[in-house]
Amino acid sequence: NEIMHLVLLLKQSGVEAIEFTGAEPTNRPDLARIVAATHRAGVRHVSVATNGVRLSDKKFLQKFKTAGVNEFRFLLLGHNAAIHEQLTHAPGSFKRILP
């Protein structure tokens, strides 16, 4: 409710694009619902900044496609696996982001 209140305030002030970020937003079990509600509120472009780890699950990814996410932005937290994985605390996550 709090997030949607902020989304509505932003939309009323003319915002056309919103990006969900911070820690790892895909860990929120309600993020796809929030994305869908953001689109229903009239926001034209919704993106999610993510480490990409959970997007390898096709069912999980489909929830966001259905919700209307326009873009995923993949975040590398270092130029090599050692730095990235030290910061994410997720062994193997560097290789999962890169093609």
Side-chain angles (χ1 to χ4, degrees):
N1 289 338
E2 198 174 322
I3 292 171
M4 286 314 303
H5 176 72
L6 291 172
V7 166
L8 291 172
L9 287 175
L10 290 168
K11 178 59 184 157
Q12 289 170 358
S13 67
V15 169
E16 294 292 330
I18 291 179
E19 179 172 270
F20 293 100
T21 188
E24 178 49 45
T26 62
N27 286 336
R28 283 191 65 106
D30 60 348
L31 184 62
R33 183 179 61 79
I34 292 169
V35 167
T38 301
H39 269 290
R40 283 193 306 273
V43 176
R44 290 183 179 202
H45 188 88
V46 179
S47 63
V48 176
T50 176
N51 63 24
V53 171
R54 297 190 73 199
L55 300 181
S56 63
D57 177 339
K58 290 183 192 233
K59 285 184 181 181
F60 185 82
L61 186 58
Q62 183 60 45
K63 285 189 334 188
F64 286 94
K65 183 178 178 184
T66 301
V69 72
N70 300 99
E71 174 184 38
F72 288 103
R73 294 175 8 107
F74 298 98
L75 304 174
L76 286 174
L77 302 180
H79 69 284
N80 62 38
I83 294 170
H84 177 80
E85 292 172 11
Q86 179 183 11
L87 293 170
T88 62
H89 305 286
S93 62
F94 187 81
K95 285 185 177 181
R96 286 183 270 183
I97 294 174
L98 299 176

Coordinates of all heavy atoms in Angstrom, one line a residue:
N1 N 0.8 -1.2 0.0 CA 0.0 0.0 0.0 C 0.9 1.3 0.0 O 0.6 2.2 -0.7 CB -0.9 0.0 1.2 CG -2.0 -1.0 1.1 OD1 -2.4 -1.4 0.0 ND2 -2.6 -1.4 2.2
E2 N 1.9 1.2 0.8 CA 2.8 2.4 0.9 C 3.5 2.7 -0.5 O 3.6 3.8 -0.9 CB 3.8 2.1 2.0 CG 4.5 3.4 2.5 CD 5.4 3.1 3.6 OE1 5.1 2.2 4.5 OE2 6.5 3.7 3.7
I3 N 4.0 1.6 -1.1 CA 4.6 1.7 -2.4 C 3.6 2.3 -3.4 O 4.0 3.2 -4.2 CB 5.2 0.4 -2.9 CG1 6.4 0.0 -2.0 CG2 5.7 0.5 -4.3 CD1 6.9 -1.4 -2.2
M4 N 2.5 1.7 -3.5 CA 1.5 2.2 -4.5 C 1.0 3.6 -4.2 O 0.8 4.4 -5.1 CB 0.3 1.3 -4.5 CG 0.6 -0.1 -5.2 SD 1.5 0.1 -6.8 CE 0.4 1.2 -7.7
H5 N 1.0 4.0 -2.9 CA 0.7 5.4 -2.6 C 1.8 6.3 -3.3 O 1.5 7.3 -3.9 CB 0.6 5.6 -1.1 CG 0.4 7.1 -0.7 ND1 -0.8 7.7 -0.9 CD2 1.3 8.0 -0.2 CE1 -0.7 9.0 -0.5 NE2 0.6 9.1 -0.1
L6 N 3.0 5.9 -3.1 CA 4.1 6.7 -3.7 C 4.1 6.7 -5.2 O 4.3 7.7 -5.9 CB 5.5 6.2 -3.2 CG 5.8 6.4 -1.8 CD1 7.1 5.6 -1.4 CD2 6.0 7.9 -1.5
V7 N 3.7 5.5 -5.8 CA 3.6 5.4 -7.3 C 2.5 6.4 -7.8 O 2.7 7.1 -8.7 CB 3.3 4.0 -7.7 CG1 2.8 3.9 -9.1 CG2 4.5 3.1 -7.5
L8 N 1.4 6.4 -7.1 CA 0.3 7.3 -7.5 C 0.7 8.8 -7.4 O 0.4 9.6 -8.2 CB -1.0 7.0 -6.7 CG -1.6 5.7 -7.0 CD1 -2.7 5.4 -6.0 CD2 -2.1 5.6 -8.5
L9 N 1.4 9.1 -6.3 CA 1.9 10.5 -6.2 C 2.9 10.9 -7.3 O 2.8 12.0 -7.8 CB 2.6 10.7 -4.8 CG 1.7 10.7 -3.6 CD1 2.5 10.8 -2.3 CD2 0.8 11.9 -3.6
L10 N 3.8 10.0 -7.6 CA 4.7 10.2 -8.7 C 4.0 10.4 -10.0 O 4.3 11.3 -10.8 CB 5.7 9.1 -8.8 CG 6.7 9.1 -7.6 CD1 7.5 7.7 -7.6 CD2 7.7 10.2 -7.7
K11 N 3.0 9.5 -10.3 CA 2.3 9.6 -11.5 C 1.5 10.9 -11.6 O 1.5 11.6 -12.7 CB 1.3 8.4 -11.6 CG 0.4 8.4 -12.9 CD 1.3 8.4 -14.1 CE 0.4 8.5 -15.3 NZ 1.0 9.0 -16.5
Q12 N 0.9 11.3 -10.5 CA 0.2 12.6 -10.5 C 1.1 13.8 -10.8 O 0.6 14.8 -11.3 CB -0.6 12.7 -9.2 CG -1.7 11.8 -9.0 CD -2.3 11.8 -7.6 OE1 -1.8 12.5 -6.7 NE2 -3.4 11.0 -7.4
S13 N 2.4 13.6 -10.4 CA 3.3 14.7 -10.7 C 4.0 14.7 -12.0 O 4.8 15.4 -12.3 CB 4.3 14.8 -9.5 OG 5.2 13.7 -9.6
G14 N 3.5 13.7 -12.9 CA 4.0 13.6 -14.2 C 5.0 12.6 -14.5 O 5.5 12.5 -15.7
V15 N 5.4 11.8 -13.6 CA 6.4 10.7 -13.8 C 5.8 9.7 -14.8 O 4.7 9.2 -14.6 CB 6.8 10.1 -12.5 CG1 7.7 8.8 -12.7 CG2 7.6 11.1 -11.6
E16 N 6.6 9.3 -15.8 CA 6.2 8.4 -16.8 C 7.0 7.1 -16.7 O 6.7 6.1 -17.4 CB 6.3 8.9 -18.2 CG 5.4 10.1 -18.4 CD 3.9 9.7 -18.5 OE1 3.7 8.5 -18.9 OE2 3.1 10.5 -18.1
A17 N 8.1 7.0 -15.9 CA 9.0 5.9 -15.8 C 9.4 5.7 -14.4 O 9.7 6.6 -13.7 CB 10.2 6.0 -16.7
I18 N 9.3 4.4 -13.9 CA 9.7 4.1 -12.6 C 10.6 2.8 -12.6 O 10.3 1.9 -13.4 CB 8.5 3.8 -11.7 CG1 7.7 5.1 -11.4 CG2 8.9 3.2 -10.4 CD1 6.5 5.0 -10.6
E19 N 11.7 2.9 -11.9 CA 12.6 1.7 -11.8 C 12.6 1.2 -10.3 O 12.7 2.0 -9.4 CB 14.0 2.0 -12.2 CG 14.9 0.8 -12.1 CD 16.3 1.1 -12.6 OE1 16.4 0.9 -13.8 OE2 17.1 1.6 -11.9
F20 N 12.3 -0.1 -10.1 CA 12.4 -0.7 -8.8 C 13.8 -1.2 -8.6 O 14.3 -2.0 -9.4 CB 11.4 -1.8 -8.7 CG 10.0 -1.3 -8.7 CD1 9.2 -1.3 -9.8 CD2 9.4 -0.7 -7.6 CE1 7.9 -0.8 -9.8 CE2 8.1 -0.1 -7.6 CZ 7.4 -0.2 -8.7
T21 N 14.4 -0.8 -7.5 CA 15.8 -1.1 -7.3 C 16.0 -1.2 -5.8 O 15.1 -0.9 -5.0 CB 16.8 -0.1 -7.9 OG1 18.1 -0.6 -7.8 CG2 16.6 1.3 -7.4
G22 N 17.2 -1.5 -5.3 CA 17.5 -1.5 -3.9 C 17.6 -2.9 -3.4 O 16.7 -3.7 -3.6
A23 N 18.8 -3.2 -2.8 CA 19.1 -4.6 -2.4 C 18.8 -5.5 -3.7 O 19.4 -5.2 -4.7 CB 18.3 -5.0 -1.2
E24 N 17.9 -6.4 -3.6 CA 17.5 -7.2 -4.7 C 16.0 -7.2 -4.8 O 15.3 -8.0 -4.1 CB 18.1 -8.6 -4.6 CG 17.6 -9.6 -5.7 CD 17.9 -8.9 -7.1 OE1 18.9 -8.3 -7.4 OE2 16.9 -9.0 -8.0
P25 N 15.4 -6.4 -5.6 CA 13.9 -6.2 -5.6 C 13.2 -7.5 -6.0 O 12.1 -7.7 -5.6 CB 13.7 -5.1 -6.6 CG 14.9 -5.0 -7.4 CD 16.0 -5.5 -6.6
T26 N 13.8 -8.4 -6.8 CA 13.1 -9.6 -7.1 C 12.9 -10.6 -5.9 O 12.2 -11.6 -6.1 CB 13.8 -10.4 -8.3 OG1 15.1 -10.8 -7.8 CG2 13.9 -9.5 -9.5
N27 N 13.5 -10.3 -4.8 CA 13.3 -11.1 -3.6 C 11.9 -10.7 -2.9 O 11.5 -11.4 -2.1 CB 14.4 -10.9 -2.6 CG 15.7 -11.6 -3.0 OD1 15.6 -12.6 -3.8 ND2 16.8 -11.1 -2.6
R28 N 11.3 -9.6 -3.4 CA 10.0 -9.3 -2.8 C 9.0 -10.2 -3.5 O 8.8 -10.2 -4.7 CB 9.6 -7.8 -3.2 CG 10.3 -6.8 -2.3 CD 9.6 -5.4 -2.6 NE 8.3 -5.4 -2.2 CZ 7.8 -4.8 -1.1 NH1 8.7 -4.1 -0.4 NH2 6.6 -4.8 -0.8
P29 N 8.2 -10.9 -2.7 CA 7.2 -11.8 -3.3 C 6.1 -11.1 -4.0 O 5.4 -11.7 -4.8 CB 6.7 -12.6 -2.1 CG 7.2 -11.9 -0.8 CD 8.3 -11.1 -1.2
D30 N 5.9 -9.8 -3.7 CA 4.8 -9.1 -4.3 C 5.3 -8.1 -5.4 O 4.5 -7.3 -5.9 CB 4.1 -8.3 -3.2 CG 5.0 -7.3 -2.5 OD1 6.2 -7.4 -2.6 OD2 4.4 -6.4 -1.7
L31 N 6.5 -8.2 -5.9 CA 7.0 -7.3 -6.8 C 6.2 -7.4 -8.2 O 5.9 -6.3 -8.7 CB 8.5 -7.5 -7.1 CG 9.1 -6.4 -8.0 CD1 9.0 -5.0 -7.5 CD2 10.6 -6.8 -8.3
A32 N 5.9 -8.5 -8.6 CA 5.2 -8.6 -9.9 C 3.8 -8.0 -9.8 O 3.3 -7.3 -10.7 CB 5.0 -10.1 -10.3
R33 N 3.2 -8.1 -8.6 CA 1.9 -7.5 -8.4 C 2.0 -5.9 -8.3 O 1.2 -5.2 -8.9 CB 1.3 -8.0 -7.0 CG -0.1 -7.4 -6.7 CD -0.6 -7.9 -5.4 NE 0.2 -7.6 -4.3 CZ 0.2 -6.4 -3.6 NH1 -0.6 -5.5 -4.1 NH2 1.0 -6.2 -2.6
I34 N 3.1 -5.5 -7.7 CA 3.4 -4.0 -7.7 C 3.7 -3.5 -9.1 O 3.2 -2.4 -9.5 CB 4.6 -3.7 -6.8 CG1 4.2 -4.0 -5.3 CG2 5.1 -2.3 -6.9 CD1 5.4 -4.0 -4.3
V35 N 4.4 -4.2 -9.9 CA 4.7 -3.8 -11.3 C 3.4 -3.7 -12.1 O 3.1 -2.7 -12.8 CB 5.6 -4.8 -12.0 CG1 5.7 -4.6 -13.5 CG2 7.0 -4.7 -11.4
A36 N 2.5 -4.7 -11.9 CA 1.2 -4.7 -12.6 C 0.4 -3.5 -12.2 O -0.2 -2.8 -13.0 CB 0.4 -6.0 -12.4
A37 N 0.3 -3.2 -10.9 CA -0.4 -2.1 -10.3 C 0.2 -0.8 -10.8 O -0.6 0.2 -11.1 CB -0.5 -2.1 -8.8
T38 N 1.5 -0.7 -11.0 CA 2.1 0.5 -11.5 C 1.7 0.8 -12.9 O 1.4 1.9 -13.2 CB 3.6 0.4 -11.3 OG1 4.0 0.1 -10.0 CG2 4.4 1.6 -11.9
H39 N 1.6 -0.2 -13.7 CA 1.1 -0.1 -15.1 C -0.3 0.4 -15.1 O -0.7 1.2 -15.8 CB 1.3 -1.4 -15.9 CG 2.6 -1.4 -16.6 ND1 2.9 -0.6 -17.7 CD2 3.7 -2.2 -16.4 CE1 4.1 -0.9 -18.1 NE2 4.6 -1.8 -17.3
R40 N -1.1 -0.3 -14.2 CA -2.6 0.1 -14.2 C -2.7 1.6 -13.8 O -3.7 2.2 -14.1 CB -3.3 -0.8 -13.2 CG -3.6 -2.2 -13.8 CD -4.6 -2.9 -13.0 NE -4.3 -3.1 -11.6 CZ -3.5 -4.0 -11.1 NH1 -3.0 -4.9 -11.9 NH2 -3.3 -4.0 -9.8
A41 N -1.8 2.1 -13.0 CA -1.8 3.5 -12.5 C -1.5 4.4 -13.7 O -1.6 5.6 -13.5 CB -0.9 3.7 -11.3
G42 N -1.0 3.9 -14.8 CA -0.7 4.7 -15.9 C 0.8 5.0 -16.2 O 1.1 5.8 -17.1
V43 N 1.6 4.4 -15.4 CA 3.1 4.6 -15.6 C 3.5 3.8 -16.9 O 3.2 2.7 -17.0 CB 3.9 4.1 -14.4 CG1 5.4 4.2 -14.7 CG2 3.5 4.9 -13.2
R44 N 4.1 4.5 -17.9 CA 4.3 3.9 -19.2 C 5.5 3.0 -19.2 O 5.5 2.0 -19.9 CB 4.6 5.0 -20.2 CG 3.4 5.8 -20.5 CD 3.8 6.8 -21.6 NE 2.6 7.6 -22.0 CZ 2.5 8.2 -23.1 NH1 3.5 8.2 -24.0 NH2 1.4 8.9 -23.3
H45 N 6.5 3.2 -18.4 CA 7.7 2.4 -18.4 C 8.1 1.9 -17.0 O 8.3 2.8 -16.2 CB 8.9 3.2 -19.1 CG 10.1 2.3 -19.3 ND1 10.3 1.6 -20.5 CD2 11.2 2.0 -18.6 CE1 11.4 1.0 -20.5 NE2 12.0 1.2 -19.3
V46 N 8.2 0.6 -16.8 CA 8.5 0.1 -15.5 C 9.7 -0.8 -15.7 O 9.7 -1.7 -16.5 CB 7.4 -0.7 -14.9 CG1 7.8 -1.3 -13.5 CG2 6.1 0.2 -14.7
S47 N 10.8 -0.5 -15.0 CA 12.0 -1.4 -15.1 C 12.4 -1.9 -13.7 O 11.9 -1.3 -12.7 CB 13.2 -0.6 -15.7 OG 13.5 0.5 -14.9
V48 N 13.2 -2.9 -13.7 CA 13.6 -3.5 -12.4 C 15.1 -3.7 -12.5 O 15.6 -4.3 -13.5 CB 13.0 -4.9 -12.2 CG1 13.5 -5.6 -11.0 CG2 11.5 -4.8 -12.1
A49 N 15.9 -3.1 -11.6 CA 17.3 -3.3 -11.5 C 17.6 -4.5 -10.7 O 17.1 -4.6 -9.5 CB 18.0 -2.1 -10.9
T50 N 18.3 -5.5 -11.2 CA 18.4 -6.8 -10.6 C 19.8 -7.4 -10.8 O 20.5 -7.0 -11.8 CB 17.3 -7.8 -11.1 OG1 17.5 -9.1 -10.5 CG2 17.3 -7.9 -12.6
N51 N 20.1 -8.3 -9.9 CA 21.4 -9.1 -10.2 C 21.1 -10.2 -11.2 O 22.0 -10.9 -11.7 CB 22.0 -9.7 -8.9 CG 21.1 -10.7 -8.2 OD1 20.2 -11.3 -8.8 ND2 21.3 -10.8 -6.9
G52 N 19.8 -10.4 -11.5 CA 19.5 -11.4 -12.6 C 19.4 -12.8 -12.2 O 18.9 -13.7 -13.0
V53 N 19.8 -13.2 -11.0 CA 19.9 -14.6 -10.6 C 18.5 -15.3 -10.7 O 18.4 -16.3 -11.3 CB 20.4 -14.7 -9.2 CG1 20.3 -16.1 -8.7 CG2 21.9 -14.2 -9.2
R54 N 17.4 -14.7 -10.2 CA 16.1 -15.3 -10.2 C 15.5 -15.4 -11.6 O 14.5 -16.1 -11.8 CB 15.2 -14.6 -9.2 CG 15.8 -14.8 -7.8 CD 14.8 -14.3 -6.8 NE 13.8 -15.3 -6.6 CZ 12.6 -15.1 -6.1 NH1 12.4 -13.9 -5.6 NH2 11.7 -16.1 -6.0
L55 N 16.0 -14.6 -12.5 CA 15.3 -14.5 -13.9 C 15.6 -15.8 -14.7 O 15.1 -15.9 -15.8 CB 15.7 -13.3 -14.6 CG 15.4 -12.0 -13.9 CD1 15.8 -10.8 -14.7 CD2 13.9 -11.9 -13.6
S56 N 16.5 -16.6 -14.3 CA 16.8 -17.9 -15.0 C 15.6 -18.9 -14.9 O 15.5 -19.8 -15.6 CB 18.1 -18.5 -14.6 OG 18.0 -18.9 -13.2
D57 N 14.7 -18.6 -13.9 CA 13.5 -19.4 -13.7 C 12.4 -18.9 -14.6 O 11.9 -17.8 -14.5 CB 13.1 -19.3 -12.2 CG 11.8 -20.1 -11.9 OD1 11.0 -20.4 -12.8 OD2 11.6 -20.3 -10.7
K58 N 12.1 -19.7 -15.7 CA 11.1 -19.2 -16.7 C 9.8 -18.9 -16.1 O 9.1 -17.9 -16.6 CB 11.0 -20.2 -17.8 CG 12.3 -20.3 -18.6 CD 12.2 -21.2 -19.8 CE 13.5 -21.5 -20.3 NZ 13.8 -21.3 -21.6
K59 N 9.3 -19.6 -15.1 CA 8.0 -19.3 -14.5 C 8.1 -17.9 -13.8 O 7.1 -17.1 -13.9 CB 7.5 -20.4 -13.6 CG 7.1 -21.6 -14.3 CD 6.6 -22.6 -13.2 CE 6.1 -23.9 -13.9 NZ 5.6 -24.9 -13.0
F60 N 9.1 -17.7 -13.1 CA 9.3 -16.5 -12.4 C 9.4 -15.3 -13.4 O 8.7 -14.3 -13.2 CB 10.6 -16.5 -11.6 CG 10.9 -15.4 -10.7 CD1 10.3 -15.3 -9.5 CD2 11.7 -14.3 -11.1 CE1 10.5 -14.2 -8.6 CE2 11.9 -13.2 -10.3 CZ 11.3 -13.2 -9.1
L61 N 10.1 -15.5 -14.4 CA 10.2 -14.4 -15.5 C 8.9 -14.2 -16.1 O 8.6 -13.0 -16.4 CB 11.3 -14.8 -16.5 CG 11.6 -13.8 -17.6 CD1 12.1 -12.5 -17.0 CD2 12.7 -14.4 -18.5
Q62 N 8.1 -15.2 -16.4 CA 6.8 -15.0 -17.0 C 5.9 -14.2 -16.2 O 5.1 -13.4 -16.7 CB 6.2 -16.4 -17.3 CG 4.8 -16.3 -18.0 CD 5.0 -15.7 -19.4 OE1 5.9 -16.0 -20.1 NE2 4.0 -14.8 -19.7
K63 N 6.0 -14.3 -14.8 CA 5.1 -13.4 -14.0 C 5.4 -12.0 -14.2 O 4.5 -11.2 -14.3 CB 5.5 -13.7 -12.5 CG 4.9 -15.0 -11.9 CD 5.0 -15.2 -10.4 CE 6.1 -14.4 -9.7 NZ 6.3 -14.8 -8.3
F64 N 6.6 -11.6 -14.5 CA 7.0 -10.2 -14.8 C 6.6 -9.8 -16.2 O 6.2 -8.6 -16.4 CB 8.5 -9.9 -14.5 CG 8.8 -9.9 -13.0 CD1 9.2 -11.0 -12.4 CD2 8.5 -8.8 -12.3 CE1 9.4 -11.0 -11.0 CE2 8.8 -8.7 -10.9 CZ 9.2 -9.9 -10.3
K65 N 6.7 -10.7 -17.1 CA 6.2 -10.4 -18.5 C 4.7 -10.1 -18.4 O 4.3 -9.1 -19.0 CB 6.5 -11.6 -19.4 CG 6.2 -11.3 -20.8 CD 6.5 -12.5 -21.7 CE 6.1 -12.2 -23.1 NZ 6.4 -13.4 -24.0
T66 N 4.0 -11.0 -17.8 CA 2.5 -10.8 -17.6 C 2.2 -9.5 -16.9 O 1.3 -8.8 -17.2 CB 1.9 -12.0 -16.9 OG1 2.2 -13.2 -17.6 CG2 0.4 -11.9 -16.7
A67 N 3.0 -9.2 -15.9 CA 2.8 -7.9 -15.1 C 3.1 -6.7 -15.9 O 2.5 -5.6 -15.6 CB 3.7 -8.0 -13.8
G68 N 3.9 -6.8 -16.9 CA 4.1 -5.7 -17.8 C 5.5 -5.0 -17.6 O 5.6 -3.8 -18.0
V69 N 6.5 -5.6 -17.0 CA 7.8 -5.0 -16.9 C 8.3 -4.7 -18.3 O 8.2 -5.5 -19.2 CB 8.7 -5.8 -16.0 CG1 9.2 -7.1 -16.8 CG2 9.9 -5.0 -15.6
N70 N 8.9 -3.5 -18.5 CA 9.4 -3.1 -19.8 C 10.9 -3.5 -19.9 O 11.4 -3.6 -21.0 CB 9.2 -1.6 -20.0 CG 7.8 -1.2 -20.0 OD1 7.3 -0.7 -19.0 ND2 7.1 -1.4 -21.1
E71 N 11.6 -3.5 -18.8 CA 13.0 -3.6 -18.9 C 13.6 -4.2 -17.6 O 13.1 -3.9 -16.5 CB 13.6 -2.2 -19.1 CG 15.1 -2.1 -19.1 CD 15.6 -0.7 -19.3 OE1 14.9 0.2 -18.7 OE2 16.6 -0.5 -20.0
F72 N 14.6 -5.1 -17.7 CA 15.4 -5.5 -16.6 C 16.8 -4.9 -16.8 O 17.3 -4.9 -17.9 CB 15.5 -7.0 -16.5 CG 14.3 -7.7 -16.1 CD1 13.5 -8.3 -17.0 CD2 13.9 -7.7 -14.7 CE1 12.3 -8.9 -16.6 CE2 12.7 -8.3 -14.3 CZ 11.9 -8.9 -15.3
R73 N 17.3 -4.3 -15.8 CA 18.7 -3.8 -15.8 C 19.5 -4.6 -14.9 O 19.3 -4.7 -13.7 CB 18.7 -2.3 -15.5 CG 18.0 -1.5 -16.5 CD 17.7 0.0 -16.3 NE 18.4 0.6 -15.2 CZ 19.4 1.5 -15.4 NH1 19.9 1.7 -16.6 NH2 19.9 2.1 -14.3
F74 N 20.5 -5.3 -15.5 CA 21.4 -6.2 -14.7 C 22.6 -5.4 -14.1 O 23.2 -4.7 -14.8 CB 21.9 -7.3 -15.6 CG 20.7 -8.1 -16.1 CD1 20.2 -7.9 -17.4 CD2 20.1 -9.1 -15.3 CE1 19.2 -8.6 -17.9 CE2 19.1 -9.8 -15.8 CZ 18.6 -9.6 -17.1
L75 N 22.8 -5.6 -12.8 CA 23.8 -4.9 -12.1 C 25.0 -5.8 -11.8 O 24.9 -6.8 -11.1 CB 23.2 -4.4 -10.8 CG 21.9 -3.5 -10.9 CD1 21.4 -3.2 -9.5 CD2 22.2 -2.3 -11.6
L76 N 26.1 -5.4 -12.3 CA 27.4 -6.0 -12.0 C 28.0 -5.1 -10.9 O 28.1 -3.9 -11.1 CB 28.3 -6.1 -13.2 CG 28.0 -7.1 -14.2 CD1 28.9 -7.0 -15.4 CD2 28.1 -8.5 -13.6
L77 N 28.4 -5.7 -9.8 CA 29.0 -4.9 -8.7 C 30.5 -4.9 -8.7 O 31.1 -4.5 -7.7 CB 28.4 -5.4 -7.4 CG 26.9 -5.3 -7.3 CD1 26.4 -5.8 -5.9 CD2 26.3 -3.9 -7.5
G78 N 31.1 -5.4 -9.7 CA 32.5 -5.4 -9.8 C 32.9 -5.9 -11.2 O 32.1 -6.5 -11.9
H79 N 34.2 -5.7 -11.6 CA 34.6 -6.1 -12.9 C 35.1 -7.6 -13.0 O 35.4 -8.1 -14.0 CB 35.8 -5.2 -13.3 CG 37.0 -5.4 -12.6 ND1 37.2 -4.9 -11.3 CD2 38.2 -6.0 -12.9 CE1 38.4 -5.2 -10.8 NE2 39.0 -5.9 -11.8
N80 N 35.0 -8.3 -11.8 CA 35.4 -9.7 -11.9 C 34.5 -10.4 -10.8 O 33.8 -9.8 -10.0 CB 36.9 -9.9 -11.6 CG 37.3 -9.4 -10.3 OD1 36.6 -9.6 -9.3 ND2 38.5 -8.8 -10.2
A81 N 34.5 -11.7 -10.9 CA 33.7 -12.6 -10.1 C 34.0 -12.3 -8.6 O 33.1 -12.3 -7.8 CB 33.8 -14.0 -10.4
A82 N 35.2 -12.2 -8.2 CA 35.6 -12.1 -6.8 C 35.0 -10.9 -6.2 O 34.4 -11.0 -5.1 CB 37.1 -12.1 -6.7
I83 N 35.1 -9.8 -6.8 CA 34.5 -8.5 -6.3 C 33.0 -8.6 -6.2 O 32.3 -8.3 -5.2 CB 35.0 -7.3 -7.1 CG1 36.5 -7.1 -6.9 CG2 34.2 -6.0 -6.6 CD1 37.1 -6.1 -7.8
H84 N 32.4 -9.0 -7.4 CA 30.9 -9.0 -7.5 C 30.3 -10.0 -6.4 O 29.4 -9.6 -5.7 CB 30.5 -9.5 -8.9 CG 29.1 -9.7 -9.1 ND1 28.2 -8.6 -9.3 CD2 28.3 -10.8 -9.1 CE1 27.0 -9.0 -9.4 NE2 27.0 -10.4 -9.3
E85 N 30.9 -11.1 -6.3 CA 30.3 -12.1 -5.4 C 30.6 -11.8 -3.9 O 29.8 -12.2 -3.0 CB 30.8 -13.5 -5.8 CG 30.3 -13.9 -7.1 CD 30.8 -15.2 -7.7 OE1 31.6 -15.9 -7.0 OE2 30.5 -15.5 -8.9
Q86 N 31.7 -11.1 -3.6 CA 31.9 -10.6 -2.3 C 30.8 -9.6 -1.9 O 30.3 -9.7 -0.7 CB 33.3 -10.0 -2.2 CG 33.6 -9.4 -0.8 CD 34.9 -8.7 -0.7 OE1 35.5 -8.4 -1.7 NE2 35.3 -8.4 0.5
L87 N 30.4 -8.8 -2.8 CA 29.4 -7.8 -2.5 C 28.0 -8.3 -2.5 O 27.1 -7.9 -1.8 CB 29.5 -6.6 -3.5 CG 30.8 -5.8 -3.4 CD1 31.0 -4.8 -4.5 CD2 30.9 -5.1 -2.0
T88 N 27.7 -9.3 -3.3 CA 26.4 -9.9 -3.4 C 26.2 -11.0 -2.4 O 25.0 -11.4 -2.2 CB 26.1 -10.4 -4.8 OG1 27.0 -11.5 -5.1 CG2 26.1 -9.3 -5.8
H89 N 27.3 -11.6 -1.9 CA 27.2 -12.8 -1.0 C 26.5 -13.9 -1.7 O 25.7 -14.7 -1.1 CB 26.5 -12.4 0.3 CG 27.1 -11.3 1.0 ND1 28.3 -11.4 1.7 CD2 26.7 -10.0 1.2 CE1 28.6 -10.2 2.2 NE2 27.6 -9.4 1.9
A90 N 26.7 -14.0 -3.0 CA 26.0 -15.1 -3.9 C 27.1 -15.7 -4.7 O 27.3 -15.3 -5.9 CB 24.9 -14.5 -4.7
P91 N 27.7 -16.8 -4.3 CA 28.7 -17.5 -5.1 C 28.1 -17.9 -6.4 O 27.0 -18.4 -6.5 CB 29.0 -18.7 -4.2 CG 28.7 -18.3 -2.8 CD 27.5 -17.4 -2.9
G92 N 28.9 -17.7 -7.5 CA 28.4 -18.1 -8.8 C 27.5 -17.1 -9.5 O 27.2 -17.2 -10.7
S93 N 27.2 -16.0 -8.8 CA 26.2 -15.0 -9.4 C 26.8 -14.2 -10.6 O 26.1 -13.8 -11.5 CB 25.7 -14.1 -8.3 OG 26.8 -13.3 -7.8
F94 N 28.1 -14.0 -10.6 CA 28.8 -13.3 -11.7 C 28.6 -14.0 -13.0 O 28.2 -13.4 -14.0 CB 30.3 -13.1 -11.3 CG 31.0 -12.2 -12.3 CD1 30.9 -10.8 -12.2 CD2 31.8 -12.7 -13.3 CE1 31.6 -10.0 -13.0 CE2 32.5 -11.9 -14.2 CZ 32.4 -10.5 -14.0
K95 N 28.8 -15.3 -13.0 CA 28.7 -16.1 -14.2 C 27.2 -16.2 -14.7 O 26.9 -16.3 -15.9 CB 29.2 -17.5 -14.1 CG 30.7 -17.6 -14.1 CD 31.2 -19.0 -14.0 CE 32.7 -19.0 -14.1 NZ 33.2 -20.4 -14.1
R96 N 26.3 -16.1 -13.7 CA 24.8 -16.2 -14.1 C 24.3 -15.0 -14.8 O 23.3 -15.0 -15.5 CB 24.0 -16.5 -12.9 CG 24.1 -18.0 -12.4 CD 23.3 -18.3 -11.3 NE 24.1 -18.0 -10.1 CZ 23.6 -18.2 -8.9 NH1 22.4 -18.6 -8.6 NH2 24.4 -17.9 -7.8
I97 N 25.0 -13.9 -14.6 CA 24.6 -12.6 -15.2 C 25.1 -12.5 -16.6 O 24.4 -12.1 -17.5 CB 25.0 -11.4 -14.4 CG1 24.3 -11.4 -13.1 CG2 24.8 -10.1 -15.2 CD1 24.8 -10.3 -12.1
L98 N 26.3 -12.9 -16.8 CA 27.0 -12.8 -18.1 C 26.5 -13.8 -19.1 O 26.3 -15.0 -18.7 CB 28.5 -12.8 -17.9 CG 29.1 -11.7 -17.1 CD1 30.6 -11.9 -16.9 CD2 28.8 -10.3 -17.6
P99 N 26.4 -13.5 -20.4 CA 26.0 -14.5 -21.4 C 27.1 -15.6 -21.6 O 28.2 -15.4 -21.3 CB 25.8 -13.7 -22.6 CG 26.4 -12.4 -22.4 CD 26.6 -12.2 -20.9

